[in-house]
């Protein structure tokens, strides 16, 4: 059990770093001449926040929000991993519980984040 928490902590840090680096590469301007005038690839989480809570895209594309989204994604992944590992039932029940927990955490945490960001002034008025 202690080993599972150590693995989850290592996974949390590595997933956070990986997601943060990949998202920062998505929002940084492309230096390649082949990709002129192409729109930057969108981050799905930011698009969800824009659509569901009517937030401004320009305010959400800063490094602090990107790091926050990376931390939230890593927290969701490691939480689901820990719950799955600790369930003593067969793999079918583990997968079903993991799927339900994953969707519930994504929906609830991003809904809370959207409401907080809207109250802090990231919304369109």
């Amino acid at each position: 059990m202690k080993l599972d928490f150590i693995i989850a902590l290592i996974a949390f840090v590595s997933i956070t770093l990986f997601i943060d680096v990949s998202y920062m590469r998505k929002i940084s301007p492309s230096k390649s001449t082949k990709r002129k005038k192409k729109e930057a690839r969108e981050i799905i989480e930011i698009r969800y926040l824009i659509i569901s809570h009517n937030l401004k895209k320009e305010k959400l594309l800063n490094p602090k929000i990107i790091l926050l989204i990376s931390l939230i994604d890593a927290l969701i992944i490691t939480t689901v991993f820990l719950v799955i590992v600790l369930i003593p039932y067969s793999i079918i029940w583990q997968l079903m519980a993991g799927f339900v927990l994953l969707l519930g955490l994504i929906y609830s945490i991003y809904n809370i984040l959207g409401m907080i960001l809207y109250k802090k002034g990231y919304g369109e008025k």
Side-chain angles (χ1 to χ4, degrees):
M1 182 141 159
K2 189 175 182 182
L3 183 64
D4 293 335
F5 287 113
I6 293 172
I7 291 172
L9 182 65
I10 292 170
F12 177 76
V13 171
S14 61
I15 291 169
T16 302
L17 290 175
F18 177 74
I19 293 173
D20 190 43
V21 168
S22 66
Y23 284 171
M24 291 303 279
R25 289 185 73 202
K26 281 185 180 182
I27 66 167
S28 67
S30 178
K31 295 180 182 179
S32 173
T33 57
K34 294 179 182 178
R35 291 191 176 187
K36 284 184 182 177
K37 297 182 181 178
K38 273 196 173 181
E39 232 177 271
R41 293 175 278 182
E42 292 209 23
I43 299 171
I44 295 172
E45 291 87 348
I46 289 180
R47 187 171 180 197
Y48 172 75
L49 289 172
I50 291 169
I51 292 170
S52 65
H53 294 284
N54 202 18
L55 301 176
K56 291 183 182 179
K57 184 177 182 178
E58 298 82 29
K59 288 186 176 182
L60 293 178
L61 290 176
N62 65 24
K64 288 182 182 179
I65 301 296
I66 299 297
L67 179 63
L68 180 65
I69 289 173
S70 302
L71 287 170
I72 289 171
D73 287 344
L75 179 72
I76 290 170
I77 292 169
T78 54
T79 303
V80 171
F81 168 74
L82 275 176
V83 170
I84 293 300
V85 170
L86 296 177
I87 293 177
Y89 299 115
S90 67
I91 191 76
I92 300 296
W93 292 108
Q94 289 177 340
L95 288 175
M96 287 180 13
F99 184 70
V100 169
L101 184 65
L102 181 70
L103 290 179
L105 283 175
I106 288 172
Y107 181 73
S108 63
I109 290 176
Y110 279 107
N111 195 16
I112 293 169
L113 178 66
M115 289 188 290
I116 291 171
L117 290 176
Y118 188 79
K119 286 182 181 179
K120 288 206 177 224
Y122 285 84
E124 295 181 6
K125 294 181 181 181

